Amino acid sequence: MAKPPTRRRSKTERFERPSSDSPLSAALPSRDELARFIREAGQTDVSAIASRFGLKGSDRRDLRVLLKSMQADGGLGRRGRRGLAEAGATPPVGVADVVERDADGELFVRLANAGEDAPLVRLAPDAAEKAAGAPGLGDRVLVRFVATEAGETEARLIKRLGQSAHKVLGVVRKARKETRVEAVDRKSKEVMLLTGEDAEKVREGDLVVAQPGSGRPEHRYGPKPGRLLEIIGREDQPRAASLIAIHSHGIPTGFPEAAEEESERARPPTLAGREDLRDLPLITIDPADARDHDDAVYSHPDEDPANAGGFVVWVAIADVAAYVRPSSSLDRAAWGKGNSVYFPDRVEPMLPERLSAGLCSLVQGEDRACFAVQMQFDRTGRKVRHRFTRGLMRSAAKLSYEQAQAAIDGEPDDQTDPLLEPILRPLWAAYAAMKAGREARSPLEIESEERRIRLNAEGEVVSIEKRAGLQAHKLIEEMMIQANVCAAESLEQKKTPLIYRIHDAPSKEKLFALGDFLSTVGIRWSKGEAATTRRFNDLLRQTRGGPHAQIVNEVVLRSQMQAVYSPDNIGHFGLNLDRYAHFTSPIRRYADLVVHRALIRALKLGQDGLSDAELPRLTETAEHITACERRAMAAERDANDRYVASFLSEHEGATFEGRITGVTRFGLFVRLEDTGADGLVPVSSLGGEYFVHDERTHALVGERSGKRWRLGTRVQVKLLEATPVTGGLLLEMLSEADPADPTAPRPKLGVRGRSTRPVPGRGRKR
């Protein structure tokens, strides 16, 4: 009798759960044993399970049936194509997408390639954020999933997997019936192609956020398909530079509704629990365009006979801790931002305007809550003692640095004339004593030039000016430094944990590299001697006014480490201080708010001090706010570059004086004298020979001629191209290279650098 044909089961039938009486191998582990193994593994697959329980042949087939049954029951979930995990479980480490932001501004992630029903997990910033940057909606991230004390799971950021790979901020270009999105990041070559409705929604010059779409490129090497996420503005808008910086660096904007409501409920301060300081003529001295005023100063001669010739100096700071309480919506928003971010045309504040420009700003003539420190200095500038108090103050005057300096220099105006004798001269007399103490301490004295970008009412750049280095700046700086020192000293004395501002000494590698360079310009530097600020200052004084002053200043600056926040103290090398904490700017820095709370707790000055819940998180907070500071600095720098490029785009073809501030194997970076802008001279445009990058001497050396382009050399360049959307400047060198130095050894290929073949007519945009 013929055997009936075997019917091939459908996909649905093959995946159905077997009935309870299905004959499965007795060698299989129980469901509980399987569930326990998968739970402990976090993520596994059929092969790993079979290997663990020694299953082969038909037993492996039965294992697959049992696992399918557990999936159908809801006990197991899929992880990728072959992976298995406990249902609802997260792996120790995984790739996830940022898919949601709640009312408090917190981000939530979902495992990549998981279904819509996969759980959302709160994203908590981690130590690696200082390298990864802050993620935003639509970003793809690598995270570590950890269990909290509350029994919940949170995601800790390991790495943001690149905006260019998953989300791109770009400008729309329409040509040849194509709509492209070109990344505004100078370092990215990302290009996406928009089609259909997305292409119809955008215009030439729109600034958009896009991400890779589905489908394949029309041509093998053409742009990848893209999907439009958001139109954020226009490249020709005067204020586009800061808009691009905000989006490309993930600067948090605005505030959750709950935080805004908390700020609106804030009320003016009263004297309850405060010392009345309204009779002290404290004044604010800030930039003329300052958007907030968080510090005020006052000084008078010390009347204590034991401190003859000494001074009493008051520094009063806005009492932000009175309004921003731990674990509140305001606090979570401020922590997330880390600091205010300042652009030429706008500010993205750490606190809502109701506080930052209102109740927490030391407005002239208004009662304000303050946290003040009273310091006594002897005639040599040595601090004798200090005390902290929470007070109620009323600013006697709001002055600009220029106003205060002009008054001291003999040109008071109507506002400063009555303040000159009772307030300004005592301040300058106290600073004279404090300056003597500063000179004895010998902090690092590296010269730097700051520039201010002035905009008109339409947001267009009208000028770029050097900021004058006034004595008024140094006076306020030194008084703030001393207040910060007092904060650290008081907290250490009370054995209260705090967040220090620390700055490590240069590494041995950097000191050796500095010594190598100095030997090439005939300056002696002992490599084995310990780094001290006095050594660096002696070097800077030795070269000041000479031909190598600028380059030595630049190389010394590059040899320094970056300052960071940390609960572990190593001192502050640049300021030459054993202990230092930020106390003086709580409106714009979360670090200062933490220090205020720590002082309130340590000195028993109220119930709104550092909470028990904050103490275990100080390391996380320090790492987070360091990352936020880096993010803000990068965004501010990029915005300034774009504003300057916009200003210079009207001067293409013009000639500028400048100085070489960077030497790389692909070209020279030149800083223009008038604007401080940095542009690139591609190595391919320097001449008809190979150039070798000599890292030791910071120079490009002609392989045949030996001619040198050295760091710090003054040069003349022509501006070929300024690109506002990227902030890039392309320059042409007009000056001649330095002649070959017969005493200098030629760098070897592959050791100090590599030769680069010139390509006529081609350059690289920065």
Side-chain angles (χ1 to χ4, degrees), residues 625-704:
I625 59 181
T626 298
C628 292
E629 178 183 56
R630 298 281 189 270
R631 178 181 66 190
M633 291 170 62
E636 291 167 356
R637 183 173 58 247
D638 282 2
N640 287 344
D641 286 348
R642 290 184 171 94
Y643 272 116
V644 171
S646 176
F647 178 70
L648 290 176
S649 63
E650 303 293 328
H651 303 277
E652 290 183 355
T655 300
F656 296 90
E657 300 294 325
R659 188 182 296 276
I660 297 174
T661 55
V663 180
T664 71
R665 63 177 181 80
F666 55 82
L668 304 169
F669 288 102
V670 176
R671 182 165 299 156
L672 306 186
E673 186 69 28
D674 295 334
T675 62
D678 291 311
L680 176 67
V681 179
V683 69
S684 58
S685 68
L686 290 177
E689 64 175 319
Y690 294 172
F691 278 85
V692 181
H693 179 209
D694 188 343
E695 295 179 7
R696 178 173 175 268
T697 61
H698 296 274
L700 283 179
V701 184
E703 187 184 29
R704 185 183 67 250

Side-chain angles (χ1 to χ4, degrees), residues 451-470:
R451 283 174 171 79
R452 178 182 179 184
I453 298 173
R454 288 191 177 275
L455 308 178
N456 60 19
E458 289 72 39
E460 299 166 331
V461 181
V462 294
S463 65
I464 300 172
E465 306 166 354
K466 289 183 180 179
R467 290 186 185 269
L470 304 176

